[in-house]
Amino acid sequence: MPVRPYRKRYLALRLEGSLPEEGEEFLALVLDALVELFGESGAAGARLKLIEYDAGRGVAILRCSHTHMGLVRAALASITANRAGKPLAIHVVDASGTLRALRKRLPTRAR
């Protein structure tokens, strides 16, 4: 019987302020915050992946390991500025175990 290597959690995020133009910039910002707070082993254990990023709407979806979800949320809360030093706020709107359920609930929660 196949076993999943790790359980995943999907985080829906709302971004406010001076947003990064590209998704890679946003992911690098989150990874830097993770490394700064929890070191390289904490960042590697989070298995962070950017699923969706839309700077126009200020919405992003991240995937992480279920055991490191608290660390990822703490790292997101610690981000107060982008790389240029302009203000940036990241709010976790919702979390789910499947991307399908997250997208289904997202329109009612992201107001």
Side-chain angles (χ1 to χ4, degrees):
M1 183 159 82
V3 177
R4 286 183 283 171
Y6 65 97
R7 295 188 305 192
K8 303 168 189 167
R9 291 296 176 263
Y10 296 90
L11 300 173
L13 310 173
R14 189 179 80 235
L15 293 84
E16 296 177 351
S18 182
L19 306 180
E21 294 292 324
E22 299 292 323
E24 291 82 20
E25 290 179 51
F26 173 69
L27 185 60
L29 194 64
V30 176
L31 282 172
D32 287 347
L34 265 171
V35 170
E36 184 179 327
L37 289 175
F38 305 108
E40 290 185 10
S41 64
R47 299 175 188 253
L48 205 60
K49 181 173 180 182
L50 184 65
I51 302 297
E52 182 179 318
Y53 179 75
D54 186 358
R57 291 183 0 216
V59 174
I61 297 177
L62 283 177
R63 183 181 75 196
C64 66
S65 169
H66 83 285
T67 58
H68 287 72
M69 187 174 75
L71 303 182
V72 172
R73 290 179 76 133
L76 291 169
S78 74
I79 298 171
T80 58
N82 63 11
R83 293 190 186 267
K86 298 193 176 177
L88 172 65
I90 303 172
H91 307 283
V92 178
V93 177
D94 199 4
S96 180
T98 65
L99 192 54
R100 180 179 178 185
L102 183 69
R103 287 192 170 147
K104 187 176 180 181
R105 290 193 308 246
L106 194 56
T108 61
R109 297 201 180 215
R111 293 182 189 172

